Amino acid sequence: MSNVTIRNIKTICTAPAGINLIVIKVETSEPGLYGLGCATFAYRHKAVRLMADEYLCPLLVGCDVADIEDIWQIMNNNSYWRNGPITNNAISGVDMALWDIKGKMANMPLYDLLGGRSRMAVKVYRHADGGTLEQVASNVKRFMDEGVGHVRIQWGGYGGRGRGKRPEGAPEGVYYDPDQYIRDTVGLFEYIRENVGWEVELLHDTHERVPPIKAVGLAKELERFRLFFLEDLLSPEQSDWFRIIRQQTTTPLAMGELFNNPKEWDYLIANRLIDFIRVHISQIGGITPARKLMILCEAFGIRTAWHGPGDVSPVGHAANIHLDMVAPNFGIQEWAGIGDRLSEVFPGSPELRGGYVYVSDKPGLGIDIDETAAAQYPCSEGVTVWTQTRLPDGTANTP
Amino acid sequence: MSNVTIRNIKTICTAPAGINLIVIKVETSEPGLYGLGCATFAYRHKAVRLMADEYLCPLLVGCDVADIEDIWQIMNNNSYWRNGPITNNAISGVDMALWDIKGKMANMPLYDLLGGRSRMAVKVYRHADGGTLEQVASNVKRFMDEGVGHVRIQWGGYGGRGRGKRPEGAPEGVYYDPDQYIRDTVGLFEYIRENVGWEVELLHDTHERVPPIKAVGLAKELERFRLFFLEDLLSPEQSDWFRIIRQQTTTPLAMGELFNNPKEWDYLIANRLIDFIRVHISQIGGITPARKLMILCEAFGIRTAWHGPGDVSPVGHAANIHLDMVAPNFGIQEWAGIGDRLSEVFPGSPELRGGYVYVSDKPGLGIDIDETAAAQYPCSEGVTVWTQTRLPDGTANTP
Amino acid sequence: MSNVTIRNIKTICTAPAGINLIVIKVETSEPGLYGLGCATFAYRHKAVRLMADEYLCPLLVGCDVADIEDIWQIMNNNSYWRNGPITNNAISGVDMALWDIKGKMANMPLYDLLGGRSRMAVKVYRHADGGTLEQVASNVKRFMDEGVGHVRIQWGGYGGRGRGKRPEGAPEGVYYDPDQYIRDTVGLFEYIRENVGWEVELLHDTHERVPPIKAVGLAKELERFRLFFLEDLLSPEQSDWFRIIRQQTTTPLAMGELFNNPKEWDYLIANRLIDFIRVHISQIGGITPARKLMILCEAFGIRTAWHGPGDVSPVGHAANIHLDMVAPNFGIQEWAGIGDRLSEVFPGSPELRGGYVYVSDKPGLGIDIDETAAAQYPCSEGVTVWTQTRLPDGTANTP
Amino acid sequence: MSNVTIRNIKTICTAPAGINLIVIKVETSEPGLYGLGCATFAYRHKAVRLMADEYLCPLLVGCDVADIEDIWQIMNNNSYWRNGPITNNAISGVDMALWDIKGKMANMPLYDLLGGRSRMAVKVYRHADGGTLEQVASNVKRFMDEGVGHVRIQWGGYGGRGRGKRPEGAPEGVYYDPDQYIRDTVGLFEYIRENVGWEVELLHDTHERVPPIKAVGLAKELERFRLFFLEDLLSPEQSDWFRIIRQQTTTPLAMGELFNNPKEWDYLIANRLIDFIRVHISQIGGITPARKLMILCEAFGIRTAWHGPGDVSPVGHAANIHLDMVAPNFGIQEWAGIGDRLSEVFPGSPELRGGYVYVSDKPGLGIDIDETAAAQYPCSEGVTVWTQTRLPDGTANTP
C-alpha cells in the first residue's frame, strides 16, 4: 500500500514506423508520477483503446498503485469472460505501467526490483531473408560482421518463395505452397551451412504455415543443421503434435507468439514439449503473468525468447529486456531494431551494440514517450489482409 | 456460391430485461434479405460493437453469403491473434446471421438445414434458489408442478449464503466463504432429497468458487444425491483437476460457459473428463464452431448443455435450440425464460411449454428484431462489479 | 419437418465401366422430387440391393425426408446388430439420397447446404503404375504434363512385380512376395526421384500387403523420398502398429478404405496416429457419418482423402467432392476418372480439369441417372477372386 | 487335406419358437456326410441367406472340408470389405458346419476334438423379470429351487418399468426413461438381496440403455450387491468409458453381444477392461474366431459368457456349449431354454438339468435338423421395430 492512487488511464496510439502501436499511460495522484505500458495489438488498436478508456479506466481510478497483483486479478476477472488478444493487451498496458511506476517509486530499474541482474546484457537474434540464396547468405554474413551470433533465416517471405502467386479469380490473400516452401527451406539450410559455415547459430520461423505431419518432417530434416531453434512450427490449436515431434527429433523448438490463454502453454511446459517460450508479453497480459511464466519455465528447463518484432512498442521491448536481464533461464531475445523515428518518439529505448541489446538504467522501465511527437504519426485505420494466407487451391490456411 | 453478397453489418445494442444484449444484423445485396446473430458479451458490449463496425464490416462487405466456412476462417485469422471473448462474440454475430440467411434462402428452419430433427422438443432445466432451505424446496416444487423435470438448486446466490458479507474497509466485491458454501450445499441436497424426493433431476452450479481439492471433495460428497450434473466446478485454468475428480467419483460433470479458446476444451473431450459441454455459443464464435464442437463431443459420448441464461439474447437462444433439435447427443438446455419485453423486441422468440422449449418453424433462426422497440432499451454503460469475488480475508478469487 | 415423405426406395445396379455399381433412388411424395445415393459394395451388390429393397424400404416409407439425422439413427439401429459393409452401404444409399433431396428442396448445391465452399476446386491424385520403372516414370510425367501435382506410384500391381506367380498345384489367387515387393518399392522411389525429380508429390499404396514390422520398416525407409502419403500400410485389425510407426518416422500416413466400424478409426484419430482419413464414404454409412468424421478429424489436425477409385459410383464421387469443397481440413481426393459410358449413365458427373476436379453447381448432389442407359450395363454375377492374395508358400494373406 | 470336398451349401430358415433362425447345411462329396452351422441374424435373415447362397456357395464348392482355417480366411477376405453382422453370420454358418463335419470324420464330439473337457457340465444363468418386485423375487426363487445358481434380474423389460409410454404424436418405438430405470434397478437389487438373500449369484443386463456417465454411476452403485456381472453397460462405440468405470468400481463387467469387428474387443481385452466376453458367436464368424477369442481372453484373465438367448439356433447353442466344455477360462453360459418345438426341429439339442446344461456326446456338434419339420415354421418377413428405442422427448437412442 502506498497511498498513491491511479488518477487516470490514457491510451496513446502512434505509428512512427508504419506499424500501429498502443501505449498506455497510467497517471497517478502524485504530480508528475506516471508509468507506461505496451498494449500493442497492431491490427485491432481501436478495440484495445476502447477497452482501456471505457472499461479499465473507470474500474481502476482510485486504486492504490502498489497493489499490482490484486489489480491484475481484478482486471482479469472483471468482465467474467477473460483472456484473448484485446482484453489481455489492455490489461498489459496497465500492468506494465504499474511496474514502471513501482520502479520509479523505488528509484530502481525494473530488473533490480525484480531480483537483480543475471547477466550483463541481452543477446539477440536478427532476421535475414532474401529473394535468392546468395542474398540470404550475404545478409547472414553482414549480421555476423556486426557481432550478431544468432540469425533467423528465410528464403522469400513467410511461406517461402512461392508467396505472392495468386490464382486467377481467387480471393485476396497471400498464396503459397507448403511443399515448395519445405523443399526450399531444407535447401536454404544446406546452402547457408555450406557457404556460411557452422560458426553462426541459425534459427527459422515457419509461421505455422505447414500441416502438422509436414511440420514433424521438417523438424526432423532440419536436425542435421543444428538449429538454435525452430519457431512457431504449429498453430496453437494443433500444438499437441509437439508430442510426436518430441519422439523423433532433437531440433530445439520455440513456440508461442500467438498465445493469449494459459491453456495454450501449460501442457507444453509441464510435459517439456518445447524448449523456448516465445510469447508476445502484452498478449498474455503484461509483466505480472510473464514473470510467472518465466519462473514456471525455469522449473522445467525451458528458456525464454520473448516475441520482439516491430509490432511490439519500444515500451514493450524495454519490458522484454528487463525480464531478460533477470531470468536465470533466459534464452535469446528477438530483435527487429528500433529506428530513429521510434527512438525520437520513445526516448530511452533499448539499444543494440554488437549482438547484445542494452536497456536503460533509469528507474522503472527507463523509457518515456514524447506525446507531441507520437501525435505526428497517427495509426492507419484500414483492415489488414496480409493474414489471409491461402493454399494454391484457394483454401484459407489458419496460421 | 450464391451471388448474394454482404452489403452491411449493423450492430444493435439493447437491454429490454436490464442485461446488455448485442445482436448483429447482416444485410445483403438482396433487398429485404438479412440475418441476425447473437454477439452478446454483456460486460463489454461497446468493444464487441466496435469490432463488428470497424473491423468485420469493412473486411466482409462484398463477400458471398453462401461461403460461411471460408468467411469464418477469414474472420478468425484476420487479426492474426485470435480467440478471446470480444473477437469471438463479434464473429459469432456475423456467423449466426449468415446461417440465418442461408436458412431463409433455403426456406428451411435452421434445424432442417443442419440435418433435421432428432427430437420433438428440447427439455430444459430451470434455476431454483432461495434464502432458506424451505424457499428452495418450494421453488423446486413449483417448477415440478409446471412439468419441469430438471432443476438447478442453490442456497443463496453463487457462493452460498455467505454472500454479501463485506469486511470493514475491504474493497468492493462479493465476499464469500468456500467452506461454509460447501457445507451448506451438501446440506441443501440432503434437505431437498428428503423433502422433495428423487423424482426430480437435480443440478448445481459451483461457479468456479472453490479451490481444486475442495472441488474434488464436493463432487464426491454429492455423488449419493445422484445429480444430473455438477456445473462449472473448476476454473478453465485448473481444469486438469478433472482428471483427479474422474478417478474418484461418478458425479456427472458439466463445464464450459467461460470457454473461448479450443485448448480449453479439446483435452477435456478427448479424455472424456466431462459429461456435458456447456459453452456460451457466441463466446466460441457462433454456430460454425459450435456445430463442430457438438459433433466432436458425440464421438466421445459427451452431451450438450449450451449456456442459456439472461446474458444470451433471444437470437442466441434460438441458435442454441436449433442445435439442440439436431444433436443426437443433446443433453439438456439451460433456460432462464424470455419475458414480455424481450418477446416484444424479438418477435418469434423460443417458447417454453411444460418442461420443453420450442423454436419457431420459420426459415432460418425464425426470429426477428423490432429495432424501434430495441432502441427504447439502451444498454447500461457502467462497469460491472459483481464479478469481483473475494474470500473473507480479501483475496481476489478467480471464478 | 417438411411434410414431404419417402414414397419408395429403389435400387439400381449397373456396371457401365465393368465394375458393379449400386445406386439408390429415394422417391418422395412430391411428384418429380427424388434423390440419389451411392451404395456401392462392388463384390456383394445383390446383398446390398436386398437390404435396401426388403428392409430399408418398408421401414422408411412414410418418413419425413427432412429428418435425416433421426432416419440415420433408425436405419443404424433397426437390426440391433449394426455396421459392416452390407448394412452400411445400404444405409449410405438412402442417406446420400436424403441429402440430395434436401439440397434440391433448398435449391442449393450440397456444399452450400453444408456450410459453403472452403476452396475453388478439389485437387486430386492419380495412379501411375507400369511393368518397368521406365513405364512408371513415363506415366508420372504424363500426369504432370496434364497439370496433376500428386501421383501415386506402383511397380506392377498391388503387391509389386511378383504378382501373378502361382506355384504349381496351389489354389487360385494373387501370389506375391512381400520382401521382393518392399525392395522393389524402395527402388521405385529412388528411380522416380532421380529421373522425375522432386517437383511432384508422390504417394504409394501398400494395400495392407506386408506384415506389421515390415510396414514400420517400409515407412521409415521411404521417409527420405518425402511422400505426400503412404496409404493403407496395415490391415485394420493391426492398426495399433501405427503407434510404433509414429515413434520412428515422419512419413505421412493415410488409412481407411476398409473401415466400416467406428472403432476402426476412433483411436487412430484421437491419438493422431494417421494424417489422412481415407474411408470409402458409402462403407461407413453415407454423408451423415462422413461429415461427422471429417469434423472429428479437423479437431486433431488430420486431413481428408476419401476413397475414390472405380468401385465408387459417380454419385458417390459427387458426394466425396461436395464434402471436399466444404472441409477446412481437406487433404486430397483420389480420382480414377469417369469415362464416357459412366458420364452417359450419370449425367452431371464431376469433371477433371488440370489437376482439379469440379462438381456440378446444380441443387443437391447435382448428378442424375439415366435408368434406361443404366439398364444396358447389367452387373456381373460371378464371385470375385482378385482378393485371394497368397504368399509364395500358399498362405492366405489378409489384406 | 481329406479329399472330401464341399458339394453344396444350403440355407435353412425356420422359426419354430417365433424367432427367425438361419442354419447352414454344408453337404460334402461323401454321401450322407454333412455339417450344420448357425448363421442366425434374426432381423436380416434374407440377407444372410443370400450371402450364403449367392456368394459363399459358388466360392467354396470343391474346397477340401479339412482346410477350415484356409477356408475361413478366404471367406473373410473374398469381398475385400469384411466384418459386420451379415457377412459374419454367413461365414459362421459354413465355419461351424465344417467343424461339425470334422467331428463326424473324427468320430468325436467337438469338445474332444478341440482339446477335451475341462469340466463335466456347463453352468448357466437364467433370466427373471416381472412387473412387480414381488414377481421378480418369486421368479428368482423358482430358478433357485430348480438348482440354478445364477439369475439375471430385470424389473419390467429392458429399460425398466417406464417402458412402453409413448408420447402423443411421437413416432413408433420403445419409450423409456433412463433415470427412472436406474433408480428402479438399484431398488430392485435392494429388494432382492433383502428378500431373497445372498445365496444366489445375481446378474443384470442394461442393454446399453443409459448414457456413459450414468453407466459409470450405476456400476458403482450396484457394487454393494456383489453382482456376478453387469452386462452390456455401454454401446460398443462408447466402450472406452470402461476405463473410467475400471478406476472406480469392482462390479464385474460382461460385454459383447453386439460385437462383430475385432476392434470392438481387442483393446478391452488387452487392457483388462472387462471380465467376461459375451459375444454372439455367429456374429463374429463362427467357431474358428470364437476359439481364438476364448484363448486370447485366457491370457488376460477374462472369462467366457457366450450370448445365448432365443435368437441363437440350437445349433449355435451346441457350438457355445462345446466351447464351454473346453475353455479353462469358462465363466458362465446364458441359457434361455429350448422348448419342445425347437427340440423337435433340432434333434439332439443341448439339455438343461439343474443349473447345468449338457451337450450331446455324438460326433461333431451332435445336433441335427429335421428339414420337413423346419419347413412348417416359416420365418416372419416383416421389419422389426422393437429396436427403435426412444427417450421421453423422442430422441432415438442407440443401444
Side-chain angles (χ1 to χ4, degrees), chain D residues 211-233:
Chain D
I213 190 63
K214 294 266 182 189
V216 185
L218 179 61
K220 196 168 177 180
E221 274 207 76
L222 294 178
E223 186 179 290
R224 63 194 163 106
F225 303 111
R226 285 195 213 124
L227 273 63
F228 185 77
F229 67 56
L230 183 57
E231 182 176 329
D232 283 359
L233 193 52

Side-chain angles (χ1 to χ4, degrees), chain D residues 44-108:
Chain D
R44 295 292 182 264
H45 74 283
K46 289 180 279 192
V48 175
R49 181 174 57 199
L50 182 148
M51 280 292 289
D53 293 352
E54 306 269 327
Y55 292 104
L56 296 186
C57 182
L59 177 70
L60 299 180
V61 163
C63 287
D64 193 305
V65 298
D67 300 342
I68 302 180
E69 183 68 39
D70 190 68
I71 289 173
W72 193 90
Q73 298 291 344
I74 291 303
M75 291 194 288
N76 191 43
N77 298 339
N78 179 261
S79 56
Y80 189 54
W81 286 281
R82 54 189 182 259
N83 293 308
I86 298 165
T87 306
N88 283 358
N89 268 292
I91 289 173
S92 168
V94 175
D95 178 77
M96 287 189 190
L98 292 174
W99 281 106
D100 191 23
I101 290 166
K102 199 178 279 286
K104 288 175 175 179
M105 291 172 76
N107 198 28
M108 288 177 185

Side-chain angles (χ1 to χ4, degrees), chain A residues 343-380:
Chain A
S343 301
E344 186 195 308
V345 173
F346 293 97
S349 285
E351 286 173 21
L352 186 75
R353 292 196 293 277
Y356 293 89
V357 67
Y358 296 82
V359 74
S360 157
D361 280 341
K362 289 191 185 151
L365 288 168
I367 190 169
D368 208 344
I369 187 165
D370 177 336
E371 295 186 50
T372 314
Q376 289 171 340
Y377 306 105
C379 285
S380 55

Side-chain angles (χ1 to χ4, degrees), chain B residues 127-297:
Chain B
H127 184 78
D129 53 20
T132 64
L133 293 172
E134 292 74 15
Q135 280 173 357
V136 181
S138 140
N139 286 330
V140 172
K141 283 178 190 153
R142 186 171 47 82
F143 280 127
M144 290 170 72
D145 290 345
E146 293 171 7
V148 174
H150 298 72
V151 185
R152 190 174 70 183
I153 56 176
Q154 202 93 30
W155 191 0
Y158 294 120
R161 282 189 300 160
R163 196 180 162 188
K165 289 182 203 157
R166 176 172 161 197
E168 240 174 287
E172 226 172 335
V174 176
Y175 284 77
Y176 70 99
D177 177 343
D179 300 310
Q180 187 195 336
Y181 160 65
I182 287 171
R183 286 191 309 272
D184 285 357
T185 299
V186 175
L188 168 67
F189 273 87
E190 252 160 14
Y191 184 90
I192 298 295
R193 279 295 183 220
E194 262 171 48
N195 291 277
V196 180
W198 293 83
E199 302 284 316
V200 58
E201 292 278 1
L202 295 178
L203 301 82
H204 182 70
D205 180 3
T206 57
H207 233 261
E208 312 97 9
R209 303 269 172 132
V210 290
I213 191 61
K214 294 265 181 188
V216 184
L218 178 61
K220 199 166 177 180
E221 273 206 79
L222 294 179
E223 185 178 292
R224 63 194 164 105
F225 303 111
R226 286 194 209 128
L227 273 63
F228 186 77
F229 66 57
L230 183 57
E231 182 177 329
D232 283 359
L233 194 53
L234 295 162
S235 75
E237 292 83 356
Q238 292 304 333
S239 294
D240 284 89
W241 284 82
F242 279 122
R243 296 182 200 274
I244 295 171
I245 296 178
R246 234 12 176 195
Q247 293 169 341
Q248 300 216 22
T249 177
T250 68
T251 295
L253 303 165
M255 184 71 201
E257 76 188 43
L258 275 165
F259 291 171
N260 53 43
N261 185 301
K263 299 312 286 180
E264 291 175 322
W265 64 70
D266 64 358
Y267 71 105
L268 294 179
I269 294 167
N271 294 291
R272 295 178 176 81
L273 298 180
I274 56 171
D275 303 292
F276 295 87
I277 185 76
R278 242 189 62 72
V279 300
H280 180 132
I281 287 183
S282 66
Q283 274 287 329
I284 70 163
I287 288 170
T288 294
R291 191 176 55 128
K292 292 177 182 174
L293 177 53
M294 153 187 127
I295 286 168
L296 178 69
C297 285

Side-chain angles (χ1 to χ4, degrees), chain A residues 105-143:
Chain A
M105 289 172 78
N107 198 28
M108 289 178 185
L110 188 62
Y111 61 75
D112 267 349
L113 198 75
L114 296 178
R117 296 187 308 178
S118 279
R119 58 193 52 76
M120 305 296 111
V122 168
K123 77 181 174 207
V124 300
Y125 69 84
R126 305 300 305 270
H127 184 78
D129 55 19
T132 64
L133 293 172
E134 293 73 16
Q135 281 172 358
V136 181
S138 139
N139 285 330
V140 172
K141 283 179 190 153
R142 186 171 47 80
F143 280 127

Side-chain angles (χ1 to χ4, degrees), chain B residues 118-121 198-199 201 223 226 245-250 252 272 274-275 298-301 303 328 330 356, chain D residues 169-171 179 182-183 186 211-214 216-217 220-221 237-238 240-241 244 247-248 392-396:
Chain B
S118 278
R119 58 194 50 78
M120 307 288 110
W198 293 83
E199 302 284 316
E201 292 278 1
E223 185 178 292
R226 286 194 209 128
I245 296 178
R246 234 12 176 195
Q247 293 169 341
Q248 300 216 22
T249 177
T250 68
R272 295 178 176 81
I274 56 171
D275 303 292
E298 187 187 350
F300 292 93
R303 288 178 284 167
F330 165 71
Y356 292 89
Chain D
D179 303 308
I182 286 172
R183 286 192 307 270
V186 175
I213 190 63
K214 294 266 182 189
V216 185
K220 196 168 177 180
E221 274 207 76
E237 292 82 359
Q238 292 303 334
D240 284 272
W241 285 82
I244 295 171
Q247 293 170 341
Q248 298 212 25
D393 66 0
T395 312

Side-chain angles (χ1 to χ4, degrees), chain A residues 169-171 179 182-183 186 211-214 216-217 220-221 237-238 240-241 244 247-248 392-396, chain C residues 118-121 198-199 201 223 226 245-250 252 272 274-275 298-301 303 328 330 356:
Chain A
D179 303 308
I182 287 172
R183 288 192 306 272
V186 175
I213 190 61
K214 293 268 182 188
V216 185
K220 196 167 177 180
E221 275 207 75
E237 291 83 358
Q238 292 303 334
D240 284 272
W241 284 83
I244 295 171
Q247 293 169 339
Q248 298 211 25
D393 66 0
T395 314
Chain C
S118 280
R119 58 194 51 77
M120 307 288 108
W198 294 83
E199 302 284 317
E201 293 276 2
E223 185 178 290
R226 286 193 209 129
I245 296 178
R246 233 14 175 193
Q247 293 168 341
Q248 300 215 20
T249 177
T250 68
R272 296 180 174 80
I274 57 171
D275 303 291
E298 187 188 349
F300 292 94
R303 288 178 285 166
F330 165 71
Y356 292 88

